Amino acid sequence: MKIYTDIVSGDILISDAFTLKEVNDIAYEVDCAAAEKYNSLDDGVTQRNIVADSFGLQETFMDKQTWLSHIKDYTKKLLSFLEKNNPDRVKPFRERFPSHTKQLLADIEKSKFYTGRSNLGDGMICVLRYREDGKTPYFTFWKDGLKTNEA
């Protein structure tokens, strides 16, 4: 099994137990469903996102300006990492990252944002959106911000 960790925070964000769809050689999208989870404290059932629940992803609030500020800082960290560890990825990253970021910005008010388990705001912010059907949630993870490990 492959697990994917955030290069900044070290948090495990996803694994190949879920289907990762590569998008434009810059990101992975992972469809995720909701599952009911029994809460013994109030004898209630809540809906939980399976990916967020499986990897302890923490929902965080971001408006457009906050996200833009984060993505600017995160881009610098990614480029620095790539220049040192994977220089062949610098050019594709620089070419594709801006256009994919613009796509995410197009309807950012419909997005939700998640950090890894450690809740470090300087790591990858995973973006949750819905497919065109309005029912299927999916996460976007930056391909170059993930380190692949064998479990």
Side-chain angles (χ1 to χ4, degrees):
M1 172 187 271
K2 292 181 183 176
I3 58 171
Y4 299 86
T5 58
D6 180 359
I7 62 164
V8 176
S9 70
D11 290 332
I12 298 172
L13 299 179
I14 193 69
S15 78
D16 66 355
F18 295 89
T19 303
L20 281 72
K21 176 186 168 194
E22 189 173 316
V23 180
N24 298 326
D25 194 33
I26 193 68
Y28 292 119
E29 290 180 352
V30 177
D31 286 345
C32 44
E36 291 184 349
K37 186 173 183 179
Y38 179 72
N39 184 342
S40 62
L41 294 178
D42 62 9
D43 289 330
V45 176
T46 58
Q47 291 288 322
R48 296 284 301 160
N49 179 295
I50 291 175
V51 171
D53 204 42
S54 295
F55 299 98
L57 303 183
Q58 306 293 313
E59 188 170 0
T60 187
F61 173 78
M62 289 199 158
D63 59 17
K64 185 176 183 177
Q65 289 309 113
T66 307
W67 191 73
L68 284 171
S69 175
H70 166 77
I71 210 70
K72 183 179 177 182
D73 292 340
Y74 188 69
T75 302
K76 291 176 187 174
K77 291 174 190 164
L78 274 179
L79 281 170
S80 176
F81 175 84
L82 291 174
E83 288 166 353
K84 293 175 188 169
N85 299 288
N86 197 354
D88 292 342
R89 287 293 305 159
V90 172
K91 184 178 179 190
F93 178 82
R94 286 181 190 256
E95 291 171 352
R96 295 179 179 104
F97 190 82
S99 64
H100 202 76
T101 301
K102 286 179 187 176
Q103 289 175 359
L104 291 174
L105 276 172
D107 60 355
I108 198 159
E109 65 280 349
K110 296 178 184 176
S111 302
K112 292 184 179 182
F113 305 94
Y114 288 78
T115 65
R117 185 178 301 273
S118 67
N119 208 12
L120 293 175
D122 61 342
M124 184 183 303
I125 300 294
C126 312
V127 181
L128 179 74
R129 299 170 51 151
Y130 287 83
R131 299 267 181 225
E132 295 77 22
D133 65 9
K135 298 177 184 176
T136 307
Y138 70 96
F139 273 105
T140 299
F141 301 93
W142 298 110
K143 176 182 173 177
D144 293 300
L146 296 172
K147 180 179 176 187
T148 307
N149 301 295
E150 294 289 332

